Amino acid sequence: MFAMPSASQVRRDENAPEACKPGANGHTDHQACFEAAEPKSGAWLLAAMNLGSQAFWNDDFETAAYYYDLSTPDGMNTFSDIILHANRSKVFLELGRTEDALRDANMVWQLAQENKADPMGTPLSDEAKFYALMLIIETFYVTSAPELELSLKTFMDITPSNEMDMMNLAAVLAEVERYDDAYKYSSELLKMAPENATALNNHCHLLTSMQRAKEALPLCEKAITYAPGIAAFHHSHAMALGALGKCTEANISLQKAHSLEPSAALYKESVECHQN
């Protein structure tokens, strides 16, 4: 049995609180709606989903998971749009909840195969499919899911439309250890955007994974100079330092990543390091 609250359902619900209806600007204050609506009503569930997604966009995975868990009524699975399930899968994977991550990833894959954006049959654009698959392929990889190869092929068959897509394509390939393909796209991107902090970080992480940490370290340092407040950059820096046997410095960078994003399970793990 599935719960599938949608914005249109809330607008038709005469009992929905005024706070749950779009304002003059066409937007809904999801926090106000969540507080005003009857718990577990359609409006309340939809508000919880949206609050979870807002937290996800802010990299606050613990808060995102809190609201996503609330949006799943007792004894039911929430089957909603492909973007929600992709976001949820990524959040649960970041928190080490692989079983929950896989459940949402399977929902994403089902919709992607049917070229549907939601269970109601809304057509799925290549842009949305690329985004959704980008977030679930690592889950399939980590869980050794049989869907990995076909989902990865489907993802790679979508032509990147901009630099961000190319960056994400390279990052996903690196996550599943397709390093040669990842390197090709990542190197091409760096030529196009040599001062892009995320591209620099991703290439650093990739080179470290390819046993080329000496080349990687300056890229990580440059990425941190551009954006010192991003946890992932400090984690990549820690990995490069660890690969070079600089264990004290690696631990400092790892602790910095953890302090910036304490909910991420990855940053609670030690970084491999063997002092020379």
Side-chain angles (χ1 to χ4, degrees), residues 59-237:
D59 291 330
D60 184 353
F61 299 121
E62 286 187 338
T63 299
Y66 169 76
Y67 283 114
Y68 283 153
D69 285 338
L70 287 179
S71 72
T72 304
D74 297 338
M76 302 174 74
N77 286 323
T78 305
F79 200 6
S80 187
D81 66 86
I82 195 170
I83 301 302
L84 171 74
H85 291 298
N87 291 348
R88 286 202 335 186
S89 181
K90 183 64 172 177
V91 164
F92 293 143
L93 184 67
E94 289 287 338
L95 296 178
R97 293 171 52 179
T98 53
E99 185 176 335
D100 293 329
L102 183 59
R103 182 169 53 249
D104 274 295
N106 283 329
M107 292 180 183
V108 169
W109 181 230
Q110 177 183 332
L111 290 169
Q113 288 180 294
E114 298 171 354
N115 278 313
K116 295 178 181 178
D118 55 46
M120 294 173 285
T122 304
L124 180 64
S125 67
D126 279 351
E127 181 182 20
K129 182 186 287 188
F130 184 92
Y131 173 85
L133 292 176
M134 173 185 79
L135 293 183
I136 67 163
I137 287 172
E138 187 182 7
T139 294
F140 285 154
Y141 174 74
V142 167
T143 59
S144 301
E147 293 83 1
L148 173 62
E149 292 303 325
L150 185 53
S151 63
L152 183 59
K153 180 182 183 304
T154 302
F155 176 67
M156 293 183 68
D157 283 345
I158 304 172
T159 303
S161 60
N162 52 47
E163 290 180 3
M164 182 64 72
D165 283 353
M166 191 180 299
M167 184 188 305
N168 288 327
L169 174 57
V172 170
L173 289 168
E175 287 170 352
V176 298
E177 298 186 21
R178 309 298 168 95
Y179 295 133
D180 289 341
D181 288 331
Y183 183 80
K184 178 181 70 174
Y185 288 110
S186 186
S187 297
E188 185 178 343
L189 177 61
L190 269 184
K191 291 177 183 177
M192 298 165 57
E195 296 185 354
N196 184 301
T198 302
L200 287 163
N201 170 76
N202 290 357
H203 204 65
C204 169
H205 188 279
L206 175 61
L207 287 170
T208 300
S209 300
M210 297 174 74
Q211 319 278 320
R212 295 166 61 179
K214 188 174 181 179
E215 298 172 61
L217 186 59
L219 300 178
C220 270
E221 291 171 344
K222 195 171 182 181
I224 290 172
T225 298
Y226 287 140
I230 297 182
F233 293 7
H234 291 278
H235 184 259
S236 297
H237 189 226

